[in-house]
Amino acid sequence: MLKLATAFIMLLLFAVNGDAGEFLVENDSAKEARQTDGLSQPQDVNNPENTLPTEQQQKSPQSAYFGKKTDRPVSAHKVNYFSINQWPGNENAQLKYQISMKFRVLEPNLYVLKYNLFPAYLSYTQMSLWNISQQSGPVEESNYNPEFFLDYPVNAAVIGRFKLRNMVIGLLEHESNGLDGVQSRSWNRQYALIKFGFESKEKLEVTNSFLSDKALLYVKLWHASGYSGQDAYLQSIGSSDTFLDYMGKGEIGVSVRNFLWRGSLRDHQLDIKTPIFRDMSKDSYEIEFRQQLPNMNFALYLQYWYGYGETLLRFDQFGRRGFVGLAFSY
């Protein structure tokens, strides 16, 4: 027993002397580094400390690549929402919803002489009317709206805080409702769009696709084609109007951000748009209001439509109705 105790003490002294010998050749800074590493490194009882993966090994090449990005290739294009115009029990109740996104084709660092000469985007928007109280054929219509466009940021001061923000060239915009026969509607456009922004004095957080400016004004002019089917339909019902009398040859829109109240309800926005260069008797206005809900990723959404052209199937029908629901972004 005495021999066993003596051997144990000798082994313990040898281990202590060995550690002491290592510490003797280390300077004070190395000792502090080892102590700091011991606190910061995770201790895994199943893996010795010197076999744990390094910080570089723990990060994949994909995470390192995307971690450097300041923007995403996919983002919201137009307002995304779900809304309803009547209580669900009403036989005329319709759910109106819109899904819209855009995809940046090229990386933003593919510049020529420090300028992005080809800022190309693909976008897709779908707006549908769903008759929620009807059991058969509940979807009245869906409008499909893909685009291919170039979006050039300008950010040039015009007067004071009023600035030219963007110039957009629409190489191709198509819209159709996918229906057959006399209900089929479609047309194509090439357009030019300019956006003016009124810069806010305080920084506005861009949440739920809201403006980064206090106000926005845009003018969109287009050349339309492929709408002969709509003109033929109007002639068949004895009308001398044309499709563009209702839809116009352009559009103008105004948006205002955070103009009602402050505090937790400060994030809100009003959008108004109307066609231009149309028949003056064919009024058409769309008014949207969004109020960001505190601590949520949704916004209260209100829409009021007045006039013609709410959908392609209804382009020659006068309507006046409101919707309430939720808007979202991603």
Side-chain angles (χ1 to χ4, degrees):
M1 186 69 177
L2 180 61
K3 292 181 179 180
L4 182 61
T6 303
F8 179 79
I9 294 173
M10 293 285 292
L11 181 62
L12 182 62
L13 289 174
F14 177 79
V16 171
N17 289 335
D19 288 344
E22 292 181 4
F23 283 120
L24 286 175
V25 298
E26 287 183 316
N27 54 28
D28 293 339
S29 61
K31 184 186 298 182
E32 293 175 0
R34 285 173 56 87
Q35 292 175 350
T36 303
D37 290 340
L39 294 175
S40 61
Q41 290 288 342
Q43 300 298 320
D44 190 343
V45 295
N46 297 317
N47 294 282
E49 183 177 355
N50 60 356
T51 65
L52 289 176
T54 63
E55 183 178 359
Q56 291 77 9
Q57 292 172 334
Q58 292 175 7
K59 292 183 178 180
S60 66
Q62 292 83 359
S63 64
Y65 173 73
F66 287 105
K68 296 178 181 179
K69 285 182 171 290
T70 57
D71 59 343
R72 297 171 298 167
V74 179
S75 58
H77 183 43
K78 300 178 183 178
V79 181
N80 293 268
Y81 63 83
F82 290 89
S83 62
I84 191 171
N85 68 332
Q86 301 280 352
W87 289 108
N90 191 305
E91 63 178 8
N92 296 320
Q94 278 193 324
L95 178 69
K96 185 177 183 180
Y97 64 90
Q98 179 169 279
I99 307 296
S100 182
M101 65 190 73
K102 63 182 178 181
F103 173 78
R104 189 183 63 239
V105 176
L106 299 177
E107 286 293 323
N109 58 352
L110 295 178
Y111 293 167
V112 177
L113 300 177
K114 299 184 179 180
Y115 290 96
N116 191 349
L117 301 180
F118 198 66
Y121 289 83
L122 289 170
S123 70
Y124 176 77
T125 302
Q126 177 178 326
M127 189 270 287
S128 299
L129 293 177
W130 178 17
N131 301 320
I132 57 177
S133 297
Q134 298 183 14
Q135 299 299 321
S136 60
V139 178
E140 175 184 305
E141 182 186 11
S142 292
N143 289 176
Y144 310 100
N145 181 207
E147 295 180 58
F148 178 59
F149 60 92
L150 307 176
D151 188 352
Y152 295 94
V154 180
N155 297 326
V158 179
I159 301 176
R161 290 187 286 142
F162 186 68
K163 297 184 177 182
L164 174 61
R165 289 301 193 189
N166 297 76
M167 298 181 65
V168 183
I169 306 298
L171 301 178
L172 178 61
E173 180 177 8
H174 172 79
E175 188 175 15
S176 59
N177 63 359
L179 298 177
D180 296 326
V182 296
Q183 291 186 325
S184 176
R185 306 281 187 268
S186 66
W187 64 320
N188 302 313
R189 288 179 283 181
Q190 291 79 40
Y191 65 83
L193 183 150
I194 56 174
K195 296 180 181 179
F196 297 92
F198 187 74
E199 192 174 39
S200 176
K201 291 183 178 180
E202 70 278 7
K203 182 179 180 181
L204 297 177
E205 296 294 335
V206 183
T207 58
N208 204 13
S209 69
F210 285 5
L211 294 176
S212 58
D213 286 321
K214 191 69 176 179
L216 170 76
L217 167 68
Y218 76 84
V219 180
K220 180 179 181 181
L221 302 176
W222 58 66
H223 169 72
S225 61
Y227 54 87
S228 58
Q230 285 83 274
D231 285 349
Y233 157 75
L234 291 171
Q235 293 174 7
S236 69
I237 61 175
S239 173
S240 60
D241 295 326
T242 66
F243 179 66
L244 295 185
D245 288 338
Y246 294 89
M247 308 303 287
K249 298 179 181 179
E251 183 178 85
I252 186 170
V254 177
S255 300
V256 184
R257 171 92 186 271
N258 296 9
F259 62 98
L260 289 177
W261 40 68
R262 303 185 69 83
S264 61
L265 297 178
R266 67 185 181 278
D267 285 329
H268 54 274
Q269 184 170 316
L270 177 69
D271 306 305
I272 304 173
K273 64 180 181 180
T274 182
I276 54 178
F277 303 116
R278 53 171 168 78
D279 189 317
M280 295 302 295
S281 64
K282 307 296 191 297
D283 290 338
S284 176
Y285 301 96
E286 184 182 63
I287 302 173
E288 295 177 300
F289 179 81
R290 286 174 287 162
Q291 170 62 64
Q292 185 73 30
L293 299 176
N295 303 318
M296 296 185 68
N297 293 321
F298 292 94
L300 174 67
Y301 177 80
L302 303 174
Q303 183 191 106
Y304 179 72
W305 181 274
Y306 176 92
Y308 299 88
E310 182 182 6
T311 69
L312 287 178
L313 189 61
R314 295 167 175 250
F315 81 90
D316 62 331
Q317 302 175 23
F318 178 84
R320 178 170 47 199
R321 56 185 190 159
F323 291 83
V324 60
L326 293 174
F328 65 95
S329 188
Y330 38 83

